Amino acid sequence: MRKHLTIDQDMKDKWPKTRVGCFQYRAAVGKKNEAMWKYLKKDIFKKTKDAIFDYGVNEIPNIKESRMAYKAFGKDPSRYRVSSEALVRRIGQGKGLYEVNTVVDVNNLISIESGFSVGSYDAEKIADELVFRVGKAGETYKGIGKDEIKIDGLPVLADEAGAIGSSTSDSERAMITEDTREILTLAYSFSDNLDLEKAMEYGRRYLEEYAGAKGIECWITD
């Protein structure tokens, strides 16, 4: 069943440009797609380093707007980095990227190319009704490979049981594993441009080609 995502009015009031690009699909999650990593290292790493040279990380399109949105929500974007910025900084520092699995790796590819934070979730472990909102005072969750993360003031994805992830760092509850079959991938946009529509196009292609995604449904929530 297709998930239903809404954007909380308080979030829209604080940052009216907020939109979310959604992909829901089935896939057999694998360890690594060699062709994707070859493309990432040959083409995307170069484009990313060129963008850092041209703009500086903080001014890269869509990272810049995400940082501005974080300030509007009351978070310091230099302390709580949007995940796309964190990935770009790793590339700029020559650290490369972690190899996780075929879905998460494509998730990161879309994020780096677009400048948007992108999160992927096990659709069977979350409710059908979802909301994108600002984290509440005192709200936390167990991060992936991390301790409890304070998510108050961060852009947060939640269902009736609580927060699932954010555009900075996701929780363990719906993390993608090789047992996952039904997946929801979300691109979090805080920009007033057509880059999200473009990301939906190449994102779909990457998911099909590199993650073996089947039956993809794509839509934008605004």
Side-chain angles (χ1 to χ4, degrees), residues 72-86:
F73 301 142
K75 299 302 280 189
D76 178 356
S78 295
R79 185 178 178 191
Y80 297 89
R81 298 196 192 283
V82 65
S83 62
S84 52
E85 179 186 342

Side-chain angles (χ1 to χ4, degrees), residues 21-216:
C22 310
F23 305 89
Q24 189 167 338
Y25 54 95
R26 299 180 305 281
V29 182
K31 292 188 184 304
K32 182 178 181 180
N33 184 294
E34 295 288 353
M36 191 223 77
W37 279 97
K38 184 177 180 181
Y39 169 65
L40 183 68
K41 291 176 180 178
K42 181 183 177 184
D43 294 84
I44 302 302
F45 278 20
K46 182 183 183 303
K47 288 181 183 177
T48 302
K49 289 175 182 177
D50 287 347
I52 294 171
F53 180 81
D54 290 341
Y55 296 100
V57 176
N58 293 358
E59 298 295 315
I60 290 175
N62 303 320
I63 290 178
K64 176 183 178 180
E65 290 82 357
S66 297
R67 289 176 62 89
M68 293 167 64
Y70 271 45
K71 289 180 182 178
F73 301 142
K75 299 302 280 189
D76 178 356
S78 295
R79 185 178 178 191
Y80 297 89
R81 298 196 192 283
V82 65
S83 62
S84 52
E85 179 186 342
L87 292 169
V88 167
R89 285 185 180 277
R90 285 191 63 86
I91 294 170
Q93 293 163 358
K95 294 180 179 178
L97 302 176
Y98 296 110
E99 296 176 5
V100 183
N101 57 52
T102 48
V103 168
V104 174
D105 293 347
V106 173
N107 175 113
N108 291 342
L109 168 61
I110 299 168
S111 183
I112 293 162
E113 184 163 349
S114 67
F116 298 126
S117 171
V118 180
S120 292
Y121 311 94
D122 188 326
E124 295 179 348
K125 294 183 179 178
I126 58 179
D128 292 334
E129 294 291 331
L130 302 167
V131 61
F132 192 41
R133 59 170 172 79
V134 179
K136 301 172 183 176
E139 197 169 16
T140 67
Y141 57 50
K142 179 75 167 62
I144 298 173
K146 301 177 182 178
D147 295 326
E148 288 290 312
I149 297 174
K150 296 178 180 179
I151 55 174
D152 55 292
L154 286 175
V156 168
L157 177 71
D159 63 8
E160 59 193 13
I164 300 158
S166 79
S167 48
T168 287
S169 185
D170 289 320
S171 77
E172 284 189 343
R173 172 152 70 103
M175 65 185 288
I176 303 297
T177 70
E178 290 185 27
D179 294 325
T180 303
R181 291 294 176 265
E182 183 82 13
I183 300 152
L184 182 69
T185 294
L186 303 179
Y188 301 112
S189 170
F190 302 102
S191 303
D192 187 16
N193 57 35
L194 294 177
D195 287 358
L196 182 58
E197 282 78 3
K198 295 174 185 174
M200 297 298 290
E201 292 179 12
Y202 58 72
R204 179 179 188 132
R205 187 171 73 251
Y206 291 159
L207 287 166
E208 289 175 339
E209 184 174 353
Y210 298 134
K214 306 291 184 185
I216 302 180

